[in-house]
Amino acid sequence: MQLSVYVLKPGDVQPGGVGRMQPGGVGGPGAEDREGSGPYTRGSLPGPWAHRRLQFNEQAVERVRQIIGQVAAAGDQALRELSRQYDQRELPQPLAVAPEALAQAARQLDPELRQALELAISRVRRFHEQQKRRSWRLAEEAHPDADPSWLGQEIRPLRRVGIYVPGGRAAYPSSLIMAAVPAQVAGVQEIAVVSPPAPGGAGVHPLVAATAELLGLRELYPIGGAQAVAALALGTESIAPVDKVVGPGNLYVTLAKRELFGATGVDMLAGPSEVVIVADAAASPDLVAADLLSQAEHDEAAGCCLITPSPELAAQVQRSLEPLLQALPEESRRRAEDSLCHWGAIYVVPDLEAAFCLANALAPEHLEIQVEDAEAWLNRVDRAGTVFLGPWSPEPMGDYVAGTNHILPTHGTARFASGLSVDDFVRRMTVVSLGPSRFRLLAGPVMRLAGEEGLPAHAASVRLRLGLGPQGPGPSAPRSAQTGQTAPAVRSALERSATVQRSTRETDIRVELHLDGQRQLAIRTGIGFLDHLVEQLAFHAGWDLRLDARGDLQVDAHHLVEDTGMVLGQALREALGGKQGIARFGSAWIPMDEALAFCALDLSGRGYLQYSAHLPPGQEQVGGLPLYLLPEFLRALAYTSGITLHLNLDRGANAHHMVEAGFKALGRALAQAAQRPAASSQARPADVPSTKGVL
């Protein structure tokens, strides 16, 4: 028996894994997923693996649809008729295998076989326990006084699952173990098992019945084929419908899964098994040949592929195959010969880098790495169901007792799919729990986005909670783009918030401000130092602030800086509202390294700025911000918001520190002046006296 050999020329691969097409070669553009992932694509390869993909003929599809229709219409009666037609078996009455039959099958197990099954169950359970997910919560609060708000994820197991266990030529207890254990680890409460009927008192193969007993499963039905999948998905008089069907099967089982997806969940659409072996000159040709045969005996359509940079190893593997093949029992030998004839291949590549590029392109179900220092090459693998490292980790170990799952994606679907796991038996349910302050902070963006998407009822849902009418003003109100006018602000009736948008020919600025916040900040003006100063102001004031300012900074920063102060000032004025009961006055000294700054202000509504700064000579600009623009920003902020503001950058040797201390002092003074009695350390009267009345 000789496998087809394909030699890929050195010219097909360039350094770094970037391919180029050569006359007669298999490289080509578009195959690289990342550096080193290679020039190969499955379709561009010579040989049968270029065409190895799941294919369904229409005749089989139509027959499966008829079977599903029969089960949907006639339930148990259809199952009995189809069993007589396809399996030549009469199904028992009642349909389920009796519990005593399961117990008897387990008692009759050969002790050594029972020990092997129990070892497999134990190791598979131990591995899958590590896959369990946890529920979690992400708190959004920055301090304990805020109302609780959080986002989270809750993990819930599926309630009821169906497992298909193949039968026919032989029994496959390992497939039952691989499907049932992760479901049990996930916490699934009800597991229904179906398997084709077989001679014997249990109705199914005694080994499958015994394994079910060892796993603690009590619901087993002797049904196979598409009708079994239909019964699990749709339900019958005897079988309650399930949330998901898992487990391997033949073409008709796979087609039934595809047709019934939606009525139930399915794990994957898998085809005949396959192995790819990457081996170098140090690998044993006998072991490589034996591992290829171990896969070939599964099925006439099983795929077996060797990738090697060593022509000598390729020739030695060819010589090793024949005596190993002849040593197999006749039925296994026949299946292996058919598999190797139609789906066997050896690819000789320039080097190991090219070998792993090709392996990733094939995205095989099983990938064996039989090279020196195999683990060092693991990071080259992006696409495989399960990887087996080194000569002592052959694929048959994964089929039975290694602990990993052997229900895996085939035919290149490992590009996007993974093997069966605990994740297949749980639902991830996300949770939103917002308190009133967090809701009000997020309300503006929600209304704006809803307006943009033409969903007014979404916006109304938010407005009503803000104490506004369902058609009240919102962030989605039209902007006056070229006039310099400001779009209407949105302010909560219960909390001090505002959203302001202002667009002119020179700038486009949006501010979302919440005075009683948790210091959630997102500042972007395009001027790094201005971002920093506004962030310090908002942080020390205790605000939530989102500020997005855009302008032509290559021409002049003046408009952007001044307009940013203006829009922030208007948002502050809107958020303060009527100012009832606030402290009104605020002041703060801020020492910062060698710098010292002082701020005093009055929120009475009389806009005024007194600014004094003795900045060190030669420091006209910091972080892209010309310092002569600072008073322009402060004047726009003070006059638009109605603040009487005195800011003195008293001393310092560093302009950065002096200005930063001033903005921190401004933030502290604003926080003090805007305090309400409930938020203050000392009780204050509801009205603050003034020489001209009260605030």
Side-chain angles (χ1 to χ4, degrees):
M1 182 71 201
Q2 293 291 299
L3 296 181
S4 299
V5 178
Y6 306 94
V7 179
L8 306 185
K9 303 185 302 298
D12 294 330
V13 181
Q14 291 178 334
V18 180
R20 65 172 184 266
M21 180 64 81
Q22 294 284 336
V26 299
E32 305 87 11
D33 293 317
R34 65 185 180 109
E35 183 179 356
S37 66
Y40 303 116
T41 61
R42 180 184 285 257
S44 68
L45 289 172
W49 280 70
H51 313 290
R52 187 171 176 79
R53 62 180 62 88
L54 288 173
Q55 298 180 2
F56 307 118
N57 66 75
E58 285 305 313
Q59 184 178 359
V61 171
E62 183 56 34
R63 184 64 192 118
V64 166
R65 288 173 179 166
Q66 292 172 2
I67 291 171
I68 292 172
Q70 287 179 257
V71 175
D76 284 356
Q77 181 183 344
L79 295 179
R80 296 182 187 282
E81 292 173 356
L82 290 165
S83 183
R84 284 192 290 268
Q85 180 179 350
Y86 289 108
D87 301 314
Q88 293 78 51
R89 295 282 186 274
E90 288 291 337
L91 295 182
Q93 184 66 261
L95 200 56
V97 177
E100 55 270 21
L102 300 179
Q104 182 180 359
R107 286 194 298 270
Q108 292 176 345
L109 278 175
D110 173 80
E112 187 177 0
L113 177 57
R114 179 173 182 138
Q115 186 177 14
L117 289 169
E118 290 174 338
L119 175 66
I121 292 170
S122 172
R123 290 183 61 85
V124 172
R125 192 177 304 280
R126 174 173 171 266
F127 176 83
H128 287 82
E129 284 283 351
Q130 300 302 311
Q131 295 178 336
K132 292 172 70 173
R133 289 182 178 266
R134 61 176 181 86
S135 299
W136 52 264
R137 293 186 178 187
L138 176 65
E140 293 209 85
E141 272 49 59
H143 62 78
D145 296 330
D147 52 59
S149 293
W150 56 274
L151 307 176
Q153 177 175 279
E154 294 291 317
I155 302 299
R156 299 288 188 270
L158 301 183
R159 184 186 63 83
R160 180 171 168 80
V161 166
I163 296 175
Y164 188 93
V165 180
R169 279 195 297 260
Y172 297 96
S174 61
S175 292
L176 177 54
I177 293 170
M178 298 294 172
V181 168
Q184 291 174 328
V185 170
V188 175
Q189 295 300 307
E190 298 181 22
I191 300 176
V193 181
V194 294
S195 190
V204 299
H205 196 288
L207 192 50
V208 173
T211 304
E213 175 71 12
L214 295 180
L215 288 163
L217 304 176
R218 293 293 180 267
E219 191 178 347
L220 177 60
Y221 302 96
I223 315 166
Q227 61 269 30
V229 179
L232 291 172
L234 305 176
T236 71
E237 298 89 335
S238 299
I239 304 175
V242 301
D243 300 319
K244 192 169 191 175
V245 178
V246 304
N250 62 17
L251 171 65
Y252 290 91
V253 170
T254 302
L255 284 173
K257 284 184 179 181
R258 189 178 73 161
E259 293 296 319
L260 288 161
F261 177 72
T264 189
V266 301
D267 53 350
M268 66 187 77
L269 302 181
S273 194
E274 61 196 19
V275 68
V276 169
I277 301 175
V278 174
D280 61 11
S284 163
D286 288 343
L287 295 182
V288 172
D291 291 357
L292 291 171
L293 286 178
S294 73
Q295 205 65 25
E297 72 171 345
H298 268 295
D299 190 281
E300 293 85 349
C304 309
C305 175
L306 168 64
I307 306 173
T308 180
S310 170
E312 295 78 15
L313 178 69
Q316 292 168 345
V317 169
Q318 293 275 39
R319 290 193 292 270
S320 295
L321 273 173
E322 188 60 31
L324 292 171
L325 186 63
Q326 295 305 317
L328 292 175
E330 181 179 352
E331 187 175 353
S332 291
R333 183 173 68 251
R334 178 185 55 77
R335 288 198 303 272
E337 286 175 339
D338 287 346
S339 166
L340 295 174
C341 178
H342 294 101
W343 297 105
I346 297 177
Y347 291 100
V348 178
V349 294
D351 52 35
L352 282 179
E353 286 284 357
F356 284 98
C357 292
L358 178 53
N360 283 326
L362 296 179
E365 177 188 18
H366 307 105
L367 175 63
E368 289 191 10
I369 301 178
Q370 296 196 32
V371 302
E372 285 189 297
D373 197 9
E375 188 172 347
W377 289 91
L378 181 60
N379 65 352
R380 301 293 204 283
V381 180
D382 291 327
R383 301 164 167 180
T386 296
V387 181
F388 300 86
L389 295 177
W392 300 104
S393 306
E395 186 277 333
M397 299 300 288
D399 276 349
Y400 297 112
V401 299
T404 54
N405 207 292
H406 80 205
I407 301 175
L408 300 167
T410 65
H411 291 68
T413 57
R415 300 188 330 273
F416 53 82
S418 305
L420 195 72
S421 72
V422 172
D423 285 347
D424 287 284
F425 300 98
V426 299
R427 292 181 57 257
R428 296 182 300 278
M429 182 172 65
T430 51
V431 181
V432 178
S433 177
L434 300 180
S437 65
R438 180 65 52 180
F439 171 84
R440 290 166 186 127
L441 179 65
L442 300 176
V446 171
M447 290 189 286
R448 177 61 189 274
L449 291 170
E452 293 292 333
E453 294 189 354
L455 299 171
H458 283 61
S461 168
V462 174
R463 286 194 181 98
L464 289 171
R465 288 171 168 80
L466 292 175
L468 305 173
Q471 302 301 322
S476 58
R479 295 181 299 171
S480 181
Q482 297 296 328
T483 64
Q485 297 177 2
T486 304
V490 172
R491 182 176 70 251
S492 166
L494 302 176
E495 290 289 342
R496 300 184 296 177
S497 301
T499 298
V500 176
Q501 179 97 28
R502 184 178 191 273
S503 296
T504 69
R505 289 185 177 88
E506 293 84 12
T507 62
D508 187 1
I509 301 170
R510 179 180 176 82
V511 168
E512 299 169 22
L513 173 63
H514 180 51
L515 298 186
D516 307 300
Q518 293 89 44
R519 298 184 172 91
Q520 301 293 313
L521 308 175
I523 317 296
R524 184 177 65 176
T525 67
I527 303 174
F529 191 50
L530 182 59
D531 291 352
H532 178 60
L533 293 178
V534 175
E535 184 179 73
Q536 291 301 315
L537 187 162
F539 181 87
H540 285 270
W543 296 345
D544 288 337
L545 176 63
R546 181 179 294 273
L547 188 155
D548 189 2
R550 303 170 189 270
D552 189 355
L553 297 177
Q554 294 182 349
V555 176
D556 187 0
H558 181 276
H559 288 113
L560 181 70
V561 174
E562 184 178 29
D563 288 3
T564 298
M566 185 183 303
V567 178
L568 181 58
Q570 181 163 341
L572 177 56
R573 187 184 193 107
E574 294 287 340
L576 284 169
K579 306 178 186 177
Q580 288 85 357
I582 63 171
R584 177 180 171 182
F585 299 106
S587 63
W589 285 95
I590 293 292
M592 185 173 171
D593 296 340
E594 82 293 342
L596 182 65
F598 174 73
C599 178
L601 55 84
D602 175 6
L603 297 183
S604 64
R606 298 167 60 88
Y608 180 79
L609 173 68
Q610 179 64 47
Y611 172 74
S612 175
H614 306 285
L615 300 177
Q619 297 186 31
E620 289 79 18
Q621 181 169 300
V622 176
L625 176 65
L627 297 182
Y628 73 87
L629 293 179
L630 282 176
E632 303 302 322
F633 173 89
L634 294 167
R635 185 173 294 107
L637 174 69
Y639 278 76
T640 309
S641 62
I643 301 176
T644 299
L645 172 61
H646 293 261
L647 182 62
N648 183 11
L649 310 186
D650 189 64
R651 67 192 68 172
N654 181 292
H656 181 142
H657 290 163
M658 292 178 70
V659 174
E660 183 178 352
F663 272 70
K664 289 180 177 179
L666 174 57
R668 293 275 176 165
L670 282 169
Q672 184 183 109
Q675 284 184 98
R676 291 165 162 167
S680 171
S681 59
Q682 297 179 358
R684 293 187 175 89
D687 298 322
V688 177
S690 168
T691 58
K692 297 182 179 181
V694 295
L695 288 179

